[in-house]
Structures are given as structure tokens and as C-alpha cells.
């Protein structure tokens, strides 16, 4: 199904489509994080990725709750955007020999993922509220806040020394 598919006729259809998009994205992120953990050399970065791996499991669980609350089948749809972001991250990480530069590259890649998730969850929260689904909006808001906090932690790590060491 394309982004502007004939299968999307209502705001509810668009909400469900985007919900399935982010569900797929969370699963792909879940698969990618162990590799990022393995490649990270900064103990703080490695720890942050490990924490986000646990959070991602919680994000998936919350999405399952939203599917149930909304009364639709729990399933993902292929998301070329997250596939491209994760492929680029893998390519860049594979090309970097200097471990300090690698940590800076991993932070940049992780922030690209976080920014994608922040846009998706922000949109889903707004649409859930518009559809009168405050129950769904509340769950999605929790994840949005965690994604934003992760992005801020990554920025702090980068600015507190990782980028300087890489330079």
C-alpha cells in the first residue's frame, strides 16, 4: 500500500496506516539495536542503547494495546523510510574504522531514527485526539515522551565529549 493509497479514505484509515507503519518501524529498530550496542565503544553510549532496546520492547507493547483499543488487527506495513534510515546507519557504521568517530556516527544515526519516530508519534497523538481516542493518544504520548528524552540524551552524549573526541 502506498502512502496515498486508495485504501486510505478516512482519517481513521490514515491513523491505522500510520500506526502500522510505526509498528513495523519499531520492530526494525528492535532488530538493529543489538548491532549498535555491539559497535558502540563509549560505555555511556552502549548503556544508552541498551536502555533504549528495553524501551523499544515497551513501545511495541504499547502499540499492541493501541491496536486492541482501536479494534484493528495488530500488524505492520513495510516502511521504506525507516528501512532507508537503518540501512544508511549500517553502511556508515561499517565504513568507520576510528572507534571515536564510530561512536559519533552511531549517535547521528540513532538521532535520525529518533527524529523519525518523534514525527510519527506526534502525528499519531494528534490524530488519536481528533478521532476522540484519548485512550490511544495517552499511550502514544508516553512513547513520544520517551523518544524525545532519548533524543535529548543522545545530544547530551554527543556534546559532552563524544564529538570532541571524534574530532
Amino acid at each position: 500500500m502506498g502512502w496515498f493509497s486508495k485504501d486510505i479514505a478516512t482519517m481513521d484509515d490514515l491513523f491505522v496506516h500510520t500506526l502500522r507503519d510505526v509498528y513495523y518501524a519499531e520492530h526494525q529498530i528492535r532488530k538493529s539495536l543489538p548491532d549498535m550496542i555491539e559497535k558502540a565503544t563509549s560505555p555511556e553510549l552502549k548503556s544508552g542503547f541498551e536502555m533504549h532496546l528495553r524501551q523499544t520492547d515497551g513501545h511495541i507493547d504499547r502499540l499492541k494495546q493501541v491496536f486492541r483499543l482501536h479494534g484493528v488487527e495488530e500488524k505492520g506495513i513495510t516502511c521504506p523510510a525507516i528501512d532507508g534510515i537503518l540501512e544508511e546507519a549500517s553502511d556508515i557504521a561499517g565504513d568507520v574504522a576510528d572507534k571515536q568517530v564510530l561512536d559519533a556516527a552511531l549517535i547521528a544515526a540513532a538521532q535520525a531514527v529518533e527524529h523519525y519516530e518523534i514525527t510519527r508519534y506526534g502525528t499519531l497523538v494528534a490524530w488519536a485526539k481528533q478521532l476522540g481516542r484519548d485512550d490511544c493518544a495517552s499511550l502514544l504520548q508516553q512513547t513520544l515522551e520517551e523518544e524525545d528524552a532519548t533524543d535529548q540524551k543522545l545530544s547530551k552524549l554527543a556534546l559532552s565529549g563524544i564529538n570532541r573526541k571524534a574530532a
Side-chain angles (χ1 to χ4, degrees):
M1 176 181 342
W3 179 247
F4 294 107
S5 169
K6 288 185 257 178
D7 296 337
I8 299 174
T10 66
M11 177 62 89
D12 189 73
D13 294 341
L14 187 57
F15 175 76
V16 171
H17 175 88
T18 306
L19 191 63
R20 289 178 172 157
D21 173 280
V22 80
Y23 186 71
Y24 171 88
E26 290 287 11
H27 278 88
Q28 297 309 108
I29 293 162
R30 174 70 178 82
K31 289 179 190 174
S32 296
L33 274 166
D35 187 48
M36 294 177 81
I37 292 166
E38 184 180 319
K39 288 180 178 178
T41 61
S42 160
E44 297 87 2
L45 183 57
K46 190 178 286 279
S47 174
F49 285 157
E50 289 168 345
M51 181 179 151
H52 199 62
L53 178 62
R54 291 187 299 276
Q55 281 184 330
T56 300
D57 289 335
H59 299 167
I60 291 168
D61 288 342
R62 276 193 210 113
L63 286 169
K64 289 177 180 181
Q65 290 177 49
V66 173
F67 280 118
R68 279 193 301 276
L69 286 169
H70 202 63
V72 294
E73 181 185 1
E74 170 193 317
K75 69 177 186 176
I77 55 170
T78 302
C79 172
I82 201 65
D83 287 341
I85 291 168
L86 292 171
E87 182 180 340
E88 180 181 11
S90 179
D91 288 349
I92 289 171
D95 291 341
V96 178
D98 183 305
K99 297 300 182 191
Q100 292 173 333
V101 174
L102 176 60
D103 282 348
L106 289 170
I107 288 174
Q111 285 192 290
V113 170
E114 292 309 309
H115 293 179
Y116 177 80
E117 290 178 296
I118 289 166
T119 63
R120 285 294 183 243
Y121 282 108
T123 296
L124 284 167
V125 168
W127 288 347
K129 288 178 182 178
Q130 188 64 45
L131 292 167
R133 299 308 313 252
D134 290 339
D135 52 351
C136 295
S138 175
L139 289 166
L140 295 163
Q141 181 66 40
Q142 290 175 47
T143 301
L144 176 59
E145 290 169 7
E146 288 178 3
E147 300 292 9
D148 187 54
T150 297
D151 181 51
Q152 290 178 34
K153 288 174 190 173
L154 288 165
S155 288
K156 185 177 178 184
L157 275 174
L159 296 172
S160 70
I162 288 177
N163 286 352
R164 189 175 0 89
K165 291 176 185 173

